[in-house]
Amino acid sequence: MCGIVGYVGARPCRDILVAGLAKLEYRGYDSAGVSVIEDGAVDSVRAVGNLANLRTAMKERAEAGGGVAVAAPPATTGVAHTRWATHGRVTEANAHPHSDGSDRVHIVLNGIVENHARLRERLEAEGQEFSSETDAEVVAHLIAAHYDGDLTAAVRAAFAELRGHYAFVAMHADRPDQLVGARRECPLVAGVGDGESFLASAIPAFLAETRRAVAIENDEVVAIDPSGVTITDAAGNRVERAAEEIDWDEAAAEKGGYETFMLKEIHEQADAVAETIADRLPGDERVDLSEIELDDSFLRDLKRIVVVACGTSYHAGLVGRYAIEEWARVPVEMDIASEYRYRNPVIGPGDLVIGITQSGETADTLAAMRLARERGATVLAITNVMGSQATRDADAVLYTRSGLEISVAATKTFVAQVAAMYLIGLRLAELRGSLAAPRLAELVAEMKSLPSKVEATLAGCEERVREISASHAEQQFFLYLGRHIGLPVCLEGALKLKEVSYIPTDAYAAGEMKHGPIALLDEATPVVCVATESLVLDKVLSNVEEVRARGATTIAIATEGDERVAAVADQAIEVARSDWILQPILAILPLQLFAYDIARARGLNVDQPRNLAKTVTVE
């Protein structure tokens, strides 16, 4: 992994490829490279670090009088890649693109080739020499071994020998007007322009050049040339699939005047929630989820729900568990997808499994969803990306519709996922009659007011958060505490701080503090407490008192106007008042800003935290 771009057409491709990589920088990477075909040969430049280093390497190559193909136009066919290391160290030799021994075949690959060691051993026995430590290089050698003038056939033959989850794009010096790709579990999409075609791991890579995209499905081989896209299945049978028009605004991938994508996306959260709930709350007492096309009788008679997710999506699922059990009286189990897939879970017909994945391509979540479906459960995907793998693996889909999220640290997609879970909870309650009509109407009204309250909370707390974060920016450890509906907010808030500031941070159920974490507390420990209005607020306030008695500084997230919290906390940040079970969408906002401000005070790149990728398409 992490980003793939390929181009075939009439235009000089070097700058198009590098611009495409720039649109994928948000996915996180540690090295980058580009290869192009010129005068019957392939020329390649790779560099460790960011794209500025790659551009410098290309410039230096040109000034040295070599590498004309990459250093200057008019090469019109090429591939490019940003790598996030999985096999092999972060070195130029391990950066993509990779080539075969003759330097005729070049490939870029996302994902993992699980049987690479066996394949490498065989290829080396056949006389092939390898130049990297990566699993990806075997693909170039394997294609070269199968090549007999037909690149598509060679890719198909190599694809049949590979095991794992990956997507790759290959080119051959003998075929300067063609690129061929294949995918298994990892994303790949084609773009169709006027006399030119693209292959990429994500649509933003070519969105500036064309809005016509063709999704590539699992176990398909795709060939592109200037005239268009040809798709076949693994057996070579032609697959007909029309291009779809992408209506994303290209400006959505720009910062819009904010200093970072993360800050921009924090401020887009009111719109994200509004888009998620808008037409799904058409009346005062009704939730319309007809789009998911699950039978009402099935939902009405549910005996159990299982939620599988990873990271931020897991925290959104935890919020949803509280809401669904409170409103619909259906038992909800939470499972970390990476653990669920290797258990022997008791699951089957009559169960609803909800897989939450922003990208729709999270490998562990997809595997958990497939396992549940294989055992007869009904699977509902909550995702932000139309046409993603999750949408094809699930029985039903609920889109969050929160728009492109560029920053690696999830913000607006979290609140959108929580809002989607709320919609499911309310719909189940409506069908099952577990909420009285006045209470349902009250919650629907409160849901509709959330976008304006998100906006008001951000406007009201931003300066206060900045002041408080400035006083704690040099701290070396934070503890986050919460109870009930506030616990998942703590978990997510702590994750944000860890992700972007690199400060060790622990998040705990406040009632469990006395069972161990209290030993961490002293006068140098800031403790962040989610103390919004809830059924357990009195318990939380008691925990705040316990913390202060050990000398720790307390920072509390409180509901607007609640003087009880301000009386016991050293520092308080208020969020807009809403129904107590809807508070997580508001309570997370100052914690996002808190993490952001501390990271910025430390001079860190919040959009591309070290070692992280936006979409985790490998285990």
Side-chain angles (χ1 to χ4, degrees):
M1 49 191 309
C2 198
I4 290 173
V5 187
Y7 174 86
V8 178
R11 292 189 288 162
C13 67
R14 180 200 63 182
D15 292 342
I16 294 172
L17 292 169
V18 176
L21 290 183
K23 295 298 185 180
L24 300 180
E25 281 191 293
Y26 67 92
R27 297 171 65 90
Y29 65 104
D30 52 48
S31 57
V34 58
S35 293
V36 298
I37 298 176
E38 173 83 351
D39 293 332
V42 180
D43 190 41
S44 185
V45 173
R46 299 178 292 179
V48 171
N50 60 24
L51 291 183
N53 294 354
L54 179 63
R55 292 186 179 98
T56 298
M58 290 192 293
K59 181 180 178 182
E60 290 174 350
R61 177 81 69 84
E63 291 173 348
V68 175
V70 169
T76 62
T77 297
V79 293
H81 190 267
T82 51
R83 176 180 187 250
W84 190 66
T86 53
H87 288 74
R89 296 164 296 165
V90 180
T91 65
E92 184 176 318
N94 288 334
H96 296 221
H98 287 292
S99 65
D100 71 314
S102 67
D103 209 31
R104 304 295 286 172
V105 176
H106 280 231
I107 68 99
V108 289
L109 179 143
N110 285 350
I112 291 174
V113 179
E114 293 176 351
N115 60 336
H116 70 99
R118 182 179 59 79
L119 291 171
R120 183 176 185 137
E121 183 179 351
R122 189 192 85 195
L123 289 163
E124 285 178 331
E126 294 172 356
Q128 298 288 338
E129 294 184 3
F130 284 73
S131 60
S132 79
E133 304 167 310
T134 70
D135 58 330
E137 189 183 348
V138 301
V139 178
H141 289 273
L142 202 57
I143 292 171
H146 287 292
Y147 183 75
D148 189 22
D150 187 334
L151 182 58
T152 302
V155 166
R156 187 178 299 111
F159 185 63
E161 294 194 62
L162 300 173
R163 300 293 178 267
H165 40 282
Y166 50 80
F168 66 83
V169 176
M171 67 181 188
H172 197 294
D174 294 348
R175 301 302 305 269
D177 60 347
Q178 185 185 53
L179 297 178
V180 181
R183 68 159 287 180
R184 178 170 291 150
E185 311 298 344
C186 288
L188 191 65
V189 62
V192 181
D194 184 10
E196 57 188 11
S197 300
F198 303 80
L199 280 174
S201 52
I203 290 172
F206 56 71
L207 191 61
E209 310 297 339
T210 181
R211 294 183 175 276
R212 297 173 62 210
V214 182
I216 310 304
E217 303 281 1
N218 263 341
D219 295 330
E220 290 183 343
V221 174
V222 54
I224 65 169
D225 58 33
S227 66
V229 177
T230 302
I231 302 172
T232 57
D233 63 19
N237 301 307
R238 183 74 175 261
V239 176
E240 299 295 337
R241 187 174 300 126
E244 296 182 6
E245 192 75 18
I246 303 301
D247 60 1
W248 292 352
D249 182 356
E250 188 182 343
E254 303 301 329
K255 294 178 183 175
Y258 291 96
E259 60 184 1
T260 64
F261 284 116
M262 184 177 177
L263 187 61
K264 170 180 176 282
E265 287 156 9
I266 286 172
H267 283 274
E268 289 177 340
Q269 291 181 105
D271 289 339
V273 175
E275 287 294 328
T276 302
I277 67 175
D279 55 334
R280 292 157 176 166
L281 297 175
D284 295 333
E285 301 176 6
R286 193 164 67 86
V287 180
D288 183 1
L289 293 184
S290 55
E291 67 194 88
I292 67 175
E293 298 181 344
L294 290 180
D295 189 79
D296 284 352
S297 62
F298 168 76
L299 296 174
R300 191 179 297 113
D301 297 334
L302 271 180
K303 296 295 187 290
R304 181 175 65 147
I305 294 172
V306 177
V307 180
V308 291
C310 301
T312 287
S313 297
Y314 177 80
H315 300 154
L318 282 172
V319 177
R321 178 178 69 177
Y322 283 100
I324 291 171
E325 291 191 341
E326 178 75 20
W327 297 337
R329 309 305 299 150
V330 180
V332 180
E333 297 177 13
M334 283 298 308
D335 245 301
I336 297 171
S338 57
E339 292 296 316
Y340 185 86
R341 66 183 295 189
Y342 292 113
R343 281 175 43 205
N344 186 16
V346 181
I347 196 80
D351 294 327
L352 176 65
V353 173
I354 301 176
I356 310 177
T357 160
Q358 184 278 138
S359 65
E361 304 286 352
T362 307
D364 289 319
T365 304
L366 293 175
M369 291 165 58
R370 292 186 191 117
L371 173 62
R373 202 176 185 197
E374 287 168 4
R375 297 192 176 186
T378 299
V379 175
L380 169 66
I382 295 179
T383 185
N384 189 42
V385 181
M386 293 186 179
S388 59
Q389 189 63 42
T391 67
R392 298 189 284 277
D393 288 349
D395 297 291
V397 181
L398 181 60
Y399 290 106
T400 52
R401 307 186 299 203
S402 55
L404 284 175
E405 187 174 65
I406 304 302
S407 180
V408 169
T411 52
K412 66 177 181 176
T413 57
F414 171 75
V415 297
Q417 289 170 346
V418 171
M421 290 296 286
Y422 285 153
L423 291 172
I424 292 170
L426 289 176
R427 178 57 179 158
L428 289 172
E430 181 184 1
L431 287 169
R432 297 164 70 90
S434 53
L435 282 179
R439 175 63 174 150
L440 181 61
E442 178 186 10
L443 287 166
V444 168
E446 287 285 350
M447 282 281 289
K448 290 180 177 180
S449 72
L450 279 175
S452 62
K453 290 180 178 179
V454 168
E455 196 168 357
T457 295
L458 286 170
C461 78
E462 195 161 15
E463 185 58 38
R464 175 66 171 156
V465 172
R466 191 174 296 116
E467 293 171 1
I468 293 174
S469 64
S471 65
H472 296 288
E474 300 306 317
Q475 295 289 352
Q476 300 305 305
F477 171 73
F478 284 81
L479 179 64
Y480 280 54
L481 297 175
R483 301 184 81 138
H484 200 273
I485 199 74
L487 176 58
V489 179
C490 280
L491 294 168
E492 176 61 14
L495 177 62
K496 290 284 96 63
L497 188 63
K498 284 182 277 195
E499 284 179 316
V500 299
S501 75
Y502 317 146
I503 299 174
T505 307
D506 202 358
Y508 238 82
E512 292 293 292
M513 181 177 57
K514 62 182 71 69
H515 296 287
I518 200 167
L520 297 169
L521 302 183
D522 59 25
E523 290 80 3
T525 310
V527 180
V528 179
C529 304
V530 175
T532 52
E533 210 168 67
S534 74
L535 302 178
V536 295
L537 179 56
D538 289 340
K539 302 289 185 183
V540 174
L541 295 179
S542 294
N543 296 134
V544 174
E545 295 277 19
E546 286 181 287
V547 166
R548 293 189 71 192
R550 272 72 183 178
T553 301
T554 55
I555 306 163
I557 308 302
T559 302
E560 185 179 19
D562 195 331
E563 297 178 358
R564 294 173 295 169
V565 179
V568 300
D570 294 298
Q571 298 170 309
I573 304 167
E574 292 189 343
V575 300
R577 182 171 293 275
S578 184
D579 186 89
W580 68 272
I581 210 163
L582 302 179
Q583 284 282 293
I585 281 182
L586 304 173
I588 193 58
L589 305 176
L591 298 185
Q592 294 169 342
L593 289 169
F594 186 69
Y596 177 86
D597 288 337
I598 286 181
R600 293 292 286 175
R602 288 175 165 233
L604 299 171
N605 183 345
V606 296
D607 286 335
Q608 296 175 44
R610 68 188 184 199
N611 303 329
L612 296 179
K614 184 63 178 174
T615 304
V616 183
T617 57
V618 297
E619 289 188 65

